[in-house]
Coordinates of all heavy atoms in Angstrom, one line a residue:
M1 N 0.8 -1.2 0.0 CA 0.0 0.0 0.0 C 0.9 1.2 0.0 O 1.8 1.3 0.8 CB -0.9 0.0 1.2 CG -1.8 1.2 1.3 SD -2.8 1.2 2.8 CE -4.0 -0.1 2.3
C2 N 0.6 2.2 -0.8 CA 1.4 3.4 -1.0 C 0.9 4.5 -0.1 O -0.3 4.6 0.3 CB 1.4 3.9 -2.4 SG 2.4 2.8 -3.5
I3 N 1.7 5.4 0.2 CA 1.5 6.6 1.1 C 0.6 7.6 0.3 O 0.8 7.8 -0.9 CB 2.8 7.3 1.5 CG1 3.6 6.3 2.3 CG2 2.5 8.6 2.2 CD1 5.0 6.8 2.6
R4 N -0.4 8.1 1.0 CA -1.2 9.2 0.5 C -0.8 10.5 1.2 O -0.5 10.5 2.4 CB -2.7 8.9 0.7 CG -3.2 7.8 -0.2 CD -4.6 7.6 0.0 NE -4.8 6.2 0.0 CZ -5.7 5.5 0.6 NH1 -6.7 6.2 1.3 NH2 -5.8 4.2 0.6
V5 N -0.9 11.6 0.5 CA -0.6 12.9 1.1 C -1.9 13.8 1.0 O -2.5 13.9 0.0 CB 0.6 13.6 0.4 CG1 0.9 15.0 1.0 CG2 1.8 12.8 0.4
H6 N -2.2 14.4 2.2 CA -3.4 15.3 2.3 C -3.0 16.6 3.0 O -2.1 16.5 3.9 CB -4.5 14.6 3.0 CG -4.9 13.3 2.5 ND1 -5.7 13.2 1.4 CD2 -4.7 12.1 2.9 CE1 -5.9 11.9 1.1 NE2 -5.3 11.2 2.0
T7 N -3.7 17.7 2.8 CA -3.5 18.9 3.6 C -4.4 18.8 4.8 O -5.5 18.2 4.7 CB -3.7 20.2 2.8 OG1 -5.0 20.1 2.3 CG2 -2.6 20.3 1.8
A8 N -4.1 19.5 5.9 CA -4.9 19.6 7.0 C -4.6 20.9 7.8 O -3.6 21.5 7.6 CB -4.7 18.4 7.9
D9 N -5.6 21.3 8.6 CA -5.4 22.5 9.4 C -5.0 22.1 10.8 O -5.3 21.0 11.2 CB -6.7 23.3 9.4 CG -7.1 23.8 8.1 OD1 -6.2 24.4 7.4 OD2 -8.3 23.7 7.7
D10 N -4.4 23.0 11.5 CA -4.1 22.9 12.9 C -3.2 21.7 13.2 O -3.5 20.9 14.2 CB -5.4 22.8 13.8 CG -6.2 24.1 13.6 OD1 -5.7 25.2 13.5 OD2 -7.5 23.9 13.5
L11 N -2.2 21.5 12.5 CA -1.2 20.4 12.7 C -0.1 20.9 13.7 O 0.2 22.1 13.6 CB -0.6 19.9 11.5 CG -1.5 19.2 10.5 CD1 -0.7 18.8 9.2 CD2 -2.2 18.0 11.1
P12 N 0.4 20.0 14.5 CA 1.5 20.4 15.4 C 2.8 20.7 14.7 O 3.7 21.3 15.2 CB 1.6 19.3 16.4 CG 1.1 18.1 15.6 CD 0.0 18.6 14.7
D13 N 3.0 20.1 13.5 CA 4.2 20.2 12.6 C 3.8 20.4 11.2 O 2.6 20.3 10.8 CB 5.1 19.0 12.7 CG 5.6 18.8 14.1 OD1 6.3 19.8 14.6 OD2 5.5 17.7 14.7
I14 N 4.7 20.7 10.3 CA 4.5 20.9 8.9 C 4.0 19.6 8.3 O 3.1 19.6 7.4 CB 5.7 21.5 8.1 CG1 6.0 22.9 8.6 CG2 5.5 21.5 6.6 CD1 7.3 23.4 8.1
V15 N 4.6 18.5 8.6 CA 4.3 17.2 8.1 C 4.1 16.2 9.2 O 4.9 16.1 10.2 CB 5.5 16.7 7.2 CG1 5.3 15.3 6.8 CG2 5.7 17.6 6.0
V16 N 3.0 15.5 9.2 CA 2.6 14.5 10.3 C 2.3 13.2 9.6 O 1.4 13.1 8.7 CB 1.5 15.1 11.1 CG1 1.0 14.0 12.1 CG2 1.8 16.4 11.7
W17 N 2.9 12.1 10.1 CA 2.7 10.8 9.6 C 1.5 10.2 10.3 O 1.4 10.3 11.6 CB 3.9 9.9 9.8 CG 3.7 8.4 9.6 CD1 3.9 7.4 10.6 CD2 3.4 7.8 8.4 NE1 3.6 6.2 10.0 CE2 3.3 6.4 8.7 CE3 3.1 8.2 7.1 CZ2 3.0 5.4 7.7 CZ3 2.8 7.3 6.1 CH2 2.8 5.9 6.4
D18 N 0.5 9.6 9.6 CA -0.7 8.9 10.2 C -0.6 7.5 9.8 O -1.0 7.1 8.7 CB -1.9 9.6 9.7 CG -3.2 8.9 10.2 OD1 -3.1 7.9 11.0 OD2 -4.3 9.4 10.0
P19 N 0.0 6.6 10.7 CA 0.2 5.2 10.3 C -1.1 4.5 10.1 O -1.2 3.5 9.3 CB 1.0 4.7 11.5 CG 0.7 5.6 12.6 CD 0.4 6.9 12.0
D20 N -2.2 4.9 10.8 CA -3.5 4.2 10.6 C -4.0 4.3 9.2 O -4.6 3.4 8.7 CB -4.5 4.7 11.6 CG -4.1 4.4 13.1 OD1 -3.4 3.4 13.3 OD2 -4.4 5.2 14.0
E21 N -3.8 5.5 8.6 CA -4.3 5.7 7.3 C -3.3 5.6 6.2 O -3.5 5.8 5.0 CB -4.9 7.1 7.2 CG -6.1 7.4 8.1 CD -7.3 6.5 7.7 OE1 -7.5 6.3 6.5 OE2 -8.0 6.1 8.6
V22 N -2.1 5.2 6.6 CA -0.9 5.2 5.7 C -0.9 6.5 4.8 O -0.9 6.5 3.6 CB -0.9 4.0 4.7 CG1 0.4 3.8 4.0 CG2 -1.2 2.7 5.5
S23 N -0.9 7.6 5.6 CA -0.9 8.9 4.9 C -0.1 9.9 5.6 O 0.3 9.7 6.8 CB -2.4 9.4 4.8 OG -2.9 9.7 6.1
V24 N 0.3 10.9 4.9 CA 1.0 12.1 5.5 C 0.1 13.3 5.4 O -0.4 13.6 4.3 CB 2.3 12.3 4.7 CG1 3.1 13.5 5.2 CG2 3.2 11.1 4.7
L25 N 0.0 14.0 6.5 CA -0.8 15.2 6.6 C 0.2 16.4 6.5 O 1.2 16.4 7.2 CB -1.6 15.3 7.8 CG -2.6 14.2 8.1 CD1 -3.2 14.3 9.5 CD2 -3.6 14.2 7.0
V26 N -0.1 17.3 5.6 CA 0.8 18.5 5.4 C 0.0 19.7 5.8 O -1.2 19.9 5.4 CB 1.2 18.6 3.9 CG1 1.9 19.9 3.6 CG2 2.0 17.4 3.5
A27 N 0.6 20.6 6.6 CA -0.1 21.8 7.0 C -0.5 22.7 5.9 O 0.3 23.0 5.0 CB 0.9 22.6 8.0
R28 N -1.8 23.0 5.8 CA -2.3 23.8 4.7 C -1.6 25.2 4.7 O -1.4 25.8 5.8 CB -3.8 24.0 4.9 CG -4.5 24.6 3.8 CD -6.0 24.7 4.0 NE -6.6 23.6 4.6 CZ -7.0 22.5 4.0 NH1 -6.8 22.3 2.7 NH2 -7.6 21.5 4.7
G29 N -1.1 25.6 3.6 CA -0.5 26.9 3.4 C 1.0 26.9 3.7 O 1.7 27.9 3.7
A30 N 1.6 25.7 4.1 CA 3.0 25.6 4.4 C 3.8 25.9 3.1 O 3.4 25.6 2.0 CB 3.4 24.3 4.9
H31 N 5.0 26.5 3.3 CA 5.8 26.8 2.1 C 6.3 25.5 1.5 O 6.7 24.6 2.2 CB 7.0 27.6 2.6 CG 7.8 28.2 1.5 ND1 8.9 27.5 0.9 CD2 7.7 29.4 0.8 CE1 9.4 28.2 0.0 NE2 8.7 29.4 -0.1
L32 N 6.3 25.5 0.2 CA 6.7 24.2 -0.6 C 8.1 23.7 -0.2 O 8.3 22.5 0.0 CB 6.6 24.5 -2.1 CG 6.9 23.3 -3.0 CD1 5.9 22.1 -2.7 CD2 6.8 23.7 -4.4
F33 N 9.0 24.6 -0.1 CA 10.4 24.2 0.3 C 10.4 23.4 1.6 O 11.0 22.4 1.8 CB 11.3 25.4 0.4 CG 12.7 25.1 0.8 CD1 13.6 24.5 -0.1 CD2 13.1 25.3 2.1 CE1 14.9 24.2 0.3 CE2 14.4 25.0 2.5 CZ 15.3 24.4 1.6
D34 N 9.7 24.0 2.6 CA 9.6 23.3 3.9 C 8.9 22.0 3.8 O 9.3 21.0 4.5 CB 8.9 24.2 4.9 CG 9.7 25.5 5.2 OD1 10.9 25.5 5.1 OD2 9.0 26.6 5.5
V35 N 7.8 21.9 3.0 CA 7.1 20.7 2.9 C 8.0 19.6 2.3 O 8.0 18.5 2.8 CB 5.8 20.9 2.0 CG1 5.2 19.5 1.6 CG2 4.8 21.8 2.7
V36 N 8.7 19.9 1.2 CA 9.6 18.9 0.6 C 10.7 18.5 1.5 O 11.0 17.3 1.6 CB 10.2 19.5 -0.7 CG1 11.2 18.6 -1.3 CG2 9.0 19.7 -1.8
R37 N 11.3 19.4 2.2 CA 12.3 19.1 3.2 C 11.8 18.1 4.3 O 12.4 17.1 4.6 CB 12.9 20.4 3.8 CG 14.1 20.1 4.8 CD 14.5 21.3 5.5 NE 13.5 21.7 6.5 CZ 13.0 22.9 6.6 NH1 13.3 23.9 5.8 NH2 12.0 23.1 7.5
E38 N 10.7 18.5 4.9 CA 10.1 17.7 5.9 C 9.6 16.3 5.4 O 9.8 15.3 6.1 CB 9.0 18.4 6.6 CG 9.4 19.7 7.3 CD 10.2 19.4 8.6 OE1 9.9 18.4 9.3 OE2 11.1 20.2 8.9
L39 N 9.0 16.3 4.2 CA 8.6 15.0 3.6 C 9.7 14.1 3.4 O 9.7 12.9 3.6 CB 7.8 15.3 2.3 CG 6.3 15.4 2.4 CD1 5.7 15.8 1.1 CD2 5.6 14.2 3.0
R40 N 10.8 14.7 2.8 CA 12.0 13.9 2.5 C 12.6 13.2 3.8 O 12.9 12.0 3.9 CB 13.1 14.7 1.9 CG 14.4 13.9 1.6 CD 15.4 14.7 0.9 NE 15.0 15.2 -0.4 CZ 14.9 14.5 -1.5 NH1 15.2 13.2 -1.5 NH2 14.5 15.0 -2.7
A41 N 12.6 14.0 4.9 CA 13.1 13.5 6.1 C 12.2 12.4 6.7 O 12.7 11.3 7.1 CB 13.3 14.6 7.2
L42 N 10.9 12.6 6.6 CA 10.0 11.6 7.1 C 10.1 10.3 6.3 O 10.2 9.3 6.9 CB 8.5 12.2 7.1 CG 7.5 11.2 7.4 CD1 7.3 11.1 8.9 CD2 6.2 11.5 6.8
L43 N 10.1 10.5 5.0 CA 10.1 9.3 4.1 C 11.4 8.5 4.3 O 11.3 7.3 4.4 CB 9.9 9.7 2.7 CG 8.5 10.3 2.4 CD1 8.5 10.9 1.0 CD2 7.4 9.2 2.4
T44 N 12.5 9.2 4.2 CA 13.8 8.4 4.2 C 14.3 8.0 5.6 O 14.7 6.9 5.8 CB 14.9 9.2 3.5 OG1 15.1 10.5 4.2 CG2 14.5 9.5 2.1
V45 N 14.2 8.9 6.6 CA 14.7 8.6 7.9 C 13.7 7.8 8.7 O 14.0 6.7 9.2 CB 15.0 9.9 8.7 CG1 15.5 9.6 10.1 CG2 16.1 10.7 7.9
D46 N 12.5 8.2 8.8 CA 11.5 7.6 9.7 C 10.9 6.3 9.0 O 10.6 5.4 9.7 CB 10.4 8.5 10.1 CG 10.9 9.7 10.9 OD1 11.9 9.6 11.5 OD2 10.2 10.8 10.9
L47 N 10.6 6.4 7.7 CA 9.9 5.3 7.1 C 10.8 4.4 6.3 O 10.4 3.3 5.7 CB 8.8 5.8 6.2 CG 7.7 6.6 7.0 CD1 6.7 7.2 6.0 CD2 7.1 5.8 8.0
G48 N 12.1 4.7 6.1 CA 13.0 3.9 5.4 C 12.8 3.9 3.9 O 13.3 2.9 3.2
A49 N 12.2 4.9 3.3 CA 12.0 5.0 1.9 C 13.3 5.2 1.2 O 14.2 5.9 1.8 CB 11.0 6.1 1.5
P50 N 13.5 4.8 0.0 CA 14.8 5.0 -0.7 C 14.9 6.5 -1.1 O 13.9 7.2 -1.3 CB 14.6 4.2 -2.0 CG 13.2 4.0 -2.2 CD 12.6 4.0 -0.8
E51 N 16.1 7.0 -1.1 CA 16.3 8.4 -1.4 C 16.2 8.6 -2.9 O 16.8 7.8 -3.7 CB 17.8 8.8 -1.0 CG 18.2 10.2 -1.3 CD 17.7 11.1 -0.1 OE1 17.7 10.7 1.0 OE2 17.5 12.3 -0.4
G52 N 15.4 9.6 -3.3 CA 15.2 9.9 -4.8 C 16.3 10.9 -5.2 O 16.8 11.6 -4.4
P53 N 16.6 10.9 -6.5 CA 17.6 11.9 -7.0 C 17.0 13.3 -7.0 O 15.8 13.5 -7.2 CB 17.9 11.4 -8.4 CG 16.6 10.7 -8.8 CD 16.1 10.0 -7.6
G54 N 17.8 14.2 -6.6 CA 17.4 15.6 -6.7 C 16.2 15.9 -5.7 O 16.3 15.6 -4.5
T55 N 15.1 16.4 -6.2 CA 14.0 16.7 -5.4 C 12.9 15.6 -5.5 O 11.8 15.8 -5.0 CB 13.3 18.0 -5.8 OG1 12.9 17.9 -7.2 CG2 14.3 19.2 -5.6
V56 N 13.2 14.4 -6.1 CA 12.3 13.3 -6.2 C 12.0 12.7 -4.9 O 13.0 12.4 -4.1 CB 12.8 12.3 -7.2 CG1 11.9 11.0 -7.2 CG2 12.9 12.9 -8.6
L57 N 10.8 12.6 -4.5 CA 10.4 11.9 -3.3 C 9.9 10.5 -3.6 O 9.2 10.3 -4.6 CB 9.3 12.7 -2.5 CG 9.7 14.1 -2.1 CD1 8.4 14.8 -1.6 CD2 10.7 14.1 -1.1
R58 N 10.2 9.5 -2.8 CA 9.8 8.1 -3.1 C 9.0 7.6 -1.9 O 9.3 7.9 -0.7 CB 11.0 7.3 -3.3 CG 11.9 7.7 -4.5 CD 12.1 6.6 -5.4 NE 12.8 7.0 -6.6 CZ 12.3 7.1 -7.8 NH1 11.1 6.8 -8.0 NH2 13.1 7.5 -8.8
C59 N 8.0 6.8 -2.2 CA 7.3 6.1 -1.2 C 8.1 5.0 -0.7 O 9.1 4.6 -1.3 CB 6.0 5.4 -1.9 SG 5.0 4.5 -0.8
F60 N 7.8 4.4 0.5 CA 8.6 3.3 1.0 C 8.6 2.1 0.1 O 9.4 1.2 0.2 CB 8.3 2.9 2.5 CG 6.8 2.7 2.7 CD1 6.1 1.7 2.2 CD2 6.1 3.6 3.5 CE1 4.8 1.5 2.5 CE2 4.8 3.5 3.8 CZ 4.1 2.4 3.3
C61 N 7.6 2.0 -0.8 CA 7.6 0.9 -1.8 C 8.6 1.2 -2.9 O 8.8 0.3 -3.8 CB 6.2 0.6 -2.3 SG 5.6 1.9 -3.4
G62 N 9.1 2.4 -3.0 CA 10.1 2.7 -4.1 C 9.5 3.5 -5.2 O 10.2 4.1 -6.0
K63 N 8.2 3.7 -5.3 CA 7.6 4.4 -6.4 C 7.6 5.9 -6.1 O 7.6 6.4 -4.9 CB 6.1 4.0 -6.6 CG 6.0 2.6 -7.0 CD 4.9 2.3 -7.9 CE 5.0 0.8 -8.3 NZ 3.9 0.5 -9.1
R64 N 7.7 6.7 -7.1 CA 7.8 8.2 -7.1 C 6.5 8.7 -6.4 O 5.4 8.4 -6.7 CB 8.0 8.7 -8.5 CG 8.2 10.2 -8.5 CD 8.2 10.7 -9.9 NE 8.3 12.1 -9.9 CZ 9.3 12.8 -10.4 NH1 10.3 12.2 -11.0 NH2 9.4 14.1 -10.3
L65 N 6.7 9.7 -5.5 CA 5.6 10.4 -4.9 C 5.5 11.8 -5.5 O 6.4 12.6 -5.3 CB 5.9 10.6 -3.4 CG 4.9 11.3 -2.6 CD1 3.6 10.5 -2.5 CD2 5.4 11.6 -1.2
D66 N 4.5 12.0 -6.3 CA 4.4 13.3 -7.0 C 3.4 14.1 -6.2 O 2.3 13.7 -5.8 CB 3.8 13.0 -8.4 CG 4.8 12.4 -9.4 OD1 5.9 12.8 -9.3 OD2 4.4 11.5 -10.2
L67 N 3.9 15.4 -6.0 CA 3.0 16.3 -5.3 C 2.3 17.1 -6.4 O 2.9 17.5 -7.4 CB 3.9 17.3 -4.5 CG 4.6 16.6 -3.3 CD1 5.5 17.6 -2.6 CD2 3.7 15.9 -2.4
P68 N 1.0 17.4 -6.2 CA 0.3 18.2 -7.2 C 0.8 19.6 -7.3 O 1.3 20.2 -6.4 CB -1.2 18.1 -6.7 CG -1.1 17.9 -5.3 CD 0.2 17.1 -5.1
A69 N 0.6 20.2 -8.5 CA 1.0 21.6 -8.7 C 0.3 22.6 -7.8 O 0.9 23.6 -7.5 CB 0.8 22.0 -10.2
G70 N -0.9 22.3 -7.4 CA -1.6 23.2 -6.6 C -1.4 23.1 -5.1 O -2.2 23.4 -4.3
L71 N -0.2 22.7 -4.7 CA 0.1 22.5 -3.3 C -0.2 23.7 -2.5 O -0.7 23.6 -1.4 CB 1.6 22.1 -3.2 CG 2.1 22.0 -1.7 CD1 1.4 20.8 -1.0 CD2 3.6 21.8 -1.7
L72 N 0.1 24.9 -3.0 CA 0.0 26.1 -2.2 C -1.4 26.8 -2.2 O -1.7 27.6 -1.3 CB 1.0 27.2 -2.6 CG 2.4 26.7 -2.4 CD1 3.4 27.8 -2.9 CD2 2.7 26.4 -0.9
G73 N -2.3 26.4 -3.1 CA -3.6 27.0 -3.1 C -4.8 26.2 -3.1 O -5.8 26.5 -2.5
R74 N -4.7 25.0 -3.6 CA -5.8 24.1 -3.6 C -5.6 22.9 -2.7 O -4.5 22.7 -2.2 CB -6.0 23.6 -5.0 CG -6.4 24.7 -6.0 CD -6.7 24.1 -7.3 NE -5.6 23.4 -7.9 CZ -4.9 23.8 -9.0 NH1 -5.3 24.9 -9.6 NH2 -3.9 23.1 -9.4
A75 N -6.6 22.1 -2.4 CA -6.5 20.9 -1.6 C -5.4 20.0 -2.2 O -5.4 19.8 -3.4 CB -7.8 20.3 -1.5
L76 N -4.7 19.4 -1.4 CA -3.6 18.5 -1.8 C -4.1 17.0 -1.6 O -4.5 16.7 -0.5 CB -2.4 18.7 -1.0 CG -1.2 17.7 -1.1 CD1 -0.7 17.8 -2.5 CD2 -0.1 18.0 -0.1
S77 N -4.1 16.3 -2.6 CA -4.5 14.9 -2.5 C -3.7 14.1 -3.6 O -4.0 14.3 -4.8 CB -6.0 14.7 -2.7 OG -6.4 13.4 -2.6
A78 N -2.7 13.3 -3.2 CA -1.9 12.6 -4.2 C -1.6 11.2 -3.6 O -1.5 11.0 -2.4 CB -0.6 13.4 -4.4
E79 N -1.5 10.3 -4.5 CA -1.1 9.0 -4.1 C 0.3 8.7 -4.8 O 0.6 9.1 -5.9 CB -2.1 8.0 -4.6 CG -3.4 8.1 -3.8 CD -4.3 6.9 -4.1 OE1 -3.8 5.9 -4.5 OE2 -5.5 7.0 -3.8
A80 N 1.1 7.9 -4.0 CA 2.4 7.6 -4.5 C 2.4 6.7 -5.7 O 3.2 6.6 -6.5 CB 3.3 7.1 -3.4
C81 N 1.4 5.8 -5.7 CA 1.3 4.9 -6.8 C -0.1 4.4 -7.0 O -1.0 4.8 -6.3 CB 2.2 3.7 -6.6 SG 2.1 2.8 -5.1

C-alpha cells in the first residue's frame, strides 16, 4: 500500500505521519520548500523509503511520490502509486 498525502489544518508540525491511514498530513499553506524538506526526512529517515535523486520523493515501496502543482492554493491529494 502506498502513502497518500493530504493537507490539514491545525497540525503540530508541517508534516505529520498517520500510520493508521498510511498517509502524510501536510499543514495547509506551508511553504513548498519546507514541505519537501520535511517530507524527505519523514520518508527516508522515519519510514526507510529510498532516497530519490534531486527533489524526487519516493514512497517506502520505491515508487515516485508526485506532489500536485496546486500545493499552495488548492487541496492536496496525491497517491504515490
Side-chain angles (χ1 to χ4, degrees):
M1 179 179 287
C2 287
I3 297 170
R4 289 182 223 154
V5 179
H6 305 282
T7 56
D9 294 316
D10 302 321
L11 294 177
D13 294 307
I14 294 173
V15 174
V16 176
W17 170 241
D18 181 355
D20 295 330
E21 298 294 325
V22 190
S23 64
V24 176
L25 301 174
V26 175
R28 191 179 318 276
H31 190 272
L32 182 59
F33 176 78
D34 295 331
V35 169
V36 171
R37 183 188 70 233
E38 295 291 325
L39 268 174
R40 178 178 300 284
L42 174 83
L43 292 167
T44 59
V45 175
D46 297 337
L47 301 177
E51 184 84 29
T55 59
V56 173
L57 299 172
R58 299 234 179 249
C59 179
F60 49 69
C61 71
K63 298 212 176 181
R64 183 185 177 121
L65 179 71
D66 289 321
L67 298 177
L71 176 65
L72 297 177
R74 297 185 298 246
L76 171 65
S77 181
E79 291 191 17
C81 51

